[in-house]
Amino acid sequence: MDERRLQEYVALIKELLDCASGEEFVILKANAKLVDEDLIMVMEQIAIKAEEQGAVETAKFLRNLANDLKGMLAQAAKTFDSEESERPCAYLELIETLMSCPSGAEAEILRKNQDLIDTQFVLTLAQVAGIMAEIGEQKASEFLQSIAKPLAKGIKNSLPPAKSSQHYLDFLGEVLRTISKTNGNAKVVYPLLAANLDKLNTHFAQVIEDWVKETVEKAQPSIVHSVLVDIVNFSVLIQQFSLGNKADNLEIAIKGYQVALSYFNRDKYPEEWAGTQNNLGNALVERITGDEADNLDEGIKCYEDALEVYQRDIFPEDWAMTQNNLGTAYKTRQRGDVAENLEIAIQHYFAALEVYQRSVFPYQWATIQYNLGNVYCDRVAGDKSENIEIAILSYNCALEVYQANLVPQQWAMTQYNLGNAYKQRIKGEHNENLQKADECYLAAMEVYKRYQNPEE
């Protein structure tokens, strides 16, 4: 972080401290270029100094705002890292429709597409607005922000009230039968979930736990094992389900994994136990409710437990997958020393690359290259100039596999982050680096243009 950037962060924080209550995110949106992890770090440092000087309320305000920004940045990244492309593509199509519609028609368009209006859509709006601002399309950026702001305030779980527990039990039975018959086919299970959004809540999670306890006491071990496998498969599906309340979906998934782990015997079912530990780790890292720092540390513990079974020489692919998961968890870890956490993340990513070689696992290899680009941009240890060069190299490696026509979200996000890396670049000619950054931002915009003009 250079001196000029630090001064910009300090000026922005001062403006936030002086603004009227409720205006914070308006100011942040107007300074979107400064909203990154370095801003959060500076906020936290100023909060510490404020507390030392007795300004407790100022310190509390900055810490709360920093935590909010951490959540926003994490969710924005997830939006573009999603493995499921259909819904993100629908978000982009809706955004293009809004940008090209006659003035005043926006409300009606949003009303007709209520099924797409959720937290991830709002985050996608913000991401596109940021790219628009980067390429000089300020009016388009402000237009999208004007839509995102009221939507962000208004989004809430407005599903109808829950029905009786018997309705939940009937629904659970139907879900598990469907999963058993179709081997967890999402194309069959997801329509069933979509038709029962009113039951996808934390009460349903408790119904699952109570029902499994009762079933285990009465059923034969072979039947219990089969039921638990179906519960885990359901948890995986609900964790990835894009409709309904994301926080509740994750709580249901977590409960399902925890229930299964209560009955899976590690010695008797080591693979099932390790796989469920890894899945639980994923859900905890993504978890929205609860303390984020606790969730991350619990997720890390699950991954480490899984590696007790997933040894490289016996389960090489599972071992590499879990190493990658650990890398991502340590990159975002809030406890411990930041620099040390990033170094641990790098170690896990490189461990995963020992198995995920490009010739055999090209997509996984590209994903880790992208992850390495992110962590080297943030790296504290080592020479900053060299870290940025490694980040640029990693992003370009990822782009050798990520193709815009095959994985547009991953391609666009990699281009966007590559642009950010060029803006931070120390080596080379400054104006040339800025030009390359602009080229990357424009390349990312090609994703959105394609949905506006699909025939091109």
Side-chain angles (χ1 to χ4, degrees):
M1 184 192 313
D2 58 32
E3 185 64 26
R4 178 182 173 185
R5 186 77 171 180
L6 177 60
Q7 291 174 0
E8 290 175 339
Y9 287 143
V10 173
L12 174 56
I13 292 170
K14 185 178 185 302
E15 185 178 359
L16 290 166
L17 288 169
D18 294 338
C19 76
S21 178
E23 293 296 316
E24 294 88 351
F25 284 93
V26 175
I27 293 171
L28 288 168
K29 286 181 180 178
N31 294 271
K33 293 181 181 179
L34 293 174
V35 180
D36 56 22
E37 293 183 357
D38 283 343
L39 172 64
I40 294 171
M41 181 182 69
V42 174
M43 274 187 181
E44 292 173 338
Q45 291 173 344
I46 292 177
I48 292 171
K49 291 181 181 178
E51 196 168 52
E52 291 174 349
Q53 296 170 3
V56 178
E57 289 302 315
T58 297
K60 183 178 178 181
F61 168 84
L62 290 175
R63 288 198 177 102
N64 288 339
L65 187 56
N67 286 333
D68 288 342
L69 289 176
K70 286 178 184 178
M72 290 171 61
L73 292 176
Q75 289 297 324
K78 290 176 185 177
T79 299
F80 281 84
D81 285 341
S82 174
E83 294 287 339
E84 189 176 349
S85 62
E86 291 183 6
R87 193 164 179 86
C89 289
Y91 292 150
L92 298 178
E93 291 174 356
L94 177 54
I95 291 171
E96 291 296 350
T97 301
L98 291 167
M99 291 175 67
S100 60
C101 75
S103 179
E106 298 87 359
E108 180 63 17
I109 291 171
L110 290 170
R111 187 189 68 78
K112 291 181 178 179
N113 292 274
Q114 291 184 49
D115 60 316
L116 290 175
I117 310 304
D118 58 14
T119 304
Q120 295 302 320
F121 173 70
V122 175
L123 291 168
T124 305
L125 268 176
Q127 185 70 43
V128 178
I131 295 176
M132 286 291 187
E134 290 288 357
I135 65 174
E137 296 288 343
Q138 193 61 37
K139 287 185 177 180
S141 177
E142 291 173 357
F143 168 73
L144 293 177
Q145 290 176 32
S146 72
I147 295 175
K149 184 178 178 181
L151 287 178
K153 289 184 177 180
I155 285 177
K156 63 178 69 175
N157 184 17
S158 58
L159 298 172
K163 299 180 181 179
S164 69
S165 293
Q166 188 57 49
H167 286 86
Y168 284 101
L169 287 170
D170 293 342
F171 172 56
L172 176 59
E174 187 177 3
V175 167
L176 295 181
R177 285 192 297 272
T178 303
I179 288 174
S180 181
K181 290 178 181 177
T182 66
N183 196 28
N185 188 331
K187 292 182 179 179
V188 180
V189 177
Y190 280 167
L192 175 59
L193 300 185
N196 290 273
L197 292 179
D198 60 314
K199 303 182 191 70
L200 300 181
N201 51 43
T202 53
H203 178 65
F204 183 54
Q206 188 59 50
V207 168
I208 292 174
E209 181 177 25
D210 294 342
W211 179 82
V212 171
K213 286 181 179 178
E214 185 178 348
T215 301
V216 166
E217 292 178 359
K218 299 176 181 178
Q220 296 294 324
S222 59
I223 296 177
V224 171
H225 178 266
S226 177
V227 168
L228 293 177
V229 169
D230 290 339
I231 290 287
V232 170
N233 287 337
F234 167 66
S235 297
V236 172
L237 289 171
I238 193 69
Q239 182 177 339
Q240 299 170 352
F241 190 48
S242 59
L243 300 181
N245 184 292
K246 181 65 175 176
D248 284 352
N249 291 348
L250 284 169
E251 291 307 302
I252 295 169
I254 289 169
K255 181 63 71 176
Y257 296 137
Q258 290 173 338
V259 166
L261 287 170
S262 297
Y263 297 100
F264 276 147
N265 183 295
R266 175 185 165 182
D267 294 331
K268 190 173 182 180
Y269 304 110
E271 290 185 59
E272 290 91 334
W273 182 85
T276 306
Q277 289 285 4
N278 183 74
N279 289 335
L280 177 57
N282 291 339
L284 288 167
V285 167
E286 294 179 35
R287 195 179 198 181
I288 297 170
T289 62
D291 181 82
E292 186 176 356
D294 285 343
N295 292 336
L296 283 167
D297 282 354
E298 289 175 23
I300 288 171
K301 177 63 166 57
C302 290
Y303 294 140
E304 291 173 342
D305 286 346
L307 285 177
E308 294 178 9
V309 173
Y310 285 159
Q311 298 179 24
R312 180 183 170 180
D313 57 339
I314 304 174
F315 303 101
E317 293 179 44
D318 294 317
W319 178 85
M321 171 189 66
T322 309
Q323 292 288 352
N324 178 52
N325 291 342
L326 271 168
T328 301
Y330 268 104
K331 182 188 179 300
T332 54
R333 189 176 186 232
Q334 297 179 6
R335 294 200 174 100
D337 181 73
V338 173
E340 183 179 350
N341 287 337
L342 292 176
E343 294 307 299
I344 295 172
I346 290 171
Q347 292 173 13
H348 284 297
Y349 285 140
F350 276 109
L353 286 175
E354 295 174 13
V355 173
Y356 283 155
Q357 298 179 18
R358 179 178 175 178
S359 59
V360 185
F361 303 99
Y363 183 82
Q364 290 88 339
W365 178 86
T367 298
I368 296 175
Q369 294 294 340
Y370 170 81
N371 291 339
L372 281 169
N374 291 341
V375 76
Y376 270 101
C377 276
D378 296 338
R379 193 184 190 200
V380 179
D383 180 74
K384 180 66 174 177
S385 176
E386 290 301 323
N387 288 338
I388 295 298
E389 293 304 306
I390 296 173
I392 290 172
L393 175 62
S394 298
Y395 287 135
N396 279 315
C397 284
L399 288 171
E400 291 175 10
V401 175
Y402 287 162
Q403 299 296 314
N405 61 325
L406 298 177
V407 283
Q409 303 308 310
Q410 290 88 335
W411 184 85
M413 197 63 227
T414 306
Q415 288 285 1
Y416 186 78
N417 286 0
L418 178 58
N420 291 338
Y422 273 118
K423 285 180 68 176
Q424 299 179 58
R425 195 181 193 196
I426 299 170
K427 292 186 176 181
E429 203 275 321
H430 180 65
N431 289 334
E432 183 178 343
N433 288 334
L434 292 181
Q435 182 179 351
K436 289 181 179 179
D438 288 340
E439 290 172 357
C440 291
Y441 295 135
L442 287 169
M445 282 307 302
E446 290 301 316
V447 168
Y448 307 104
K449 290 179 181 178
R450 184 180 311 120
Y451 291 103
Q452 186 175 15
N453 301 294
E455 69 278 0
E456 293 182 3

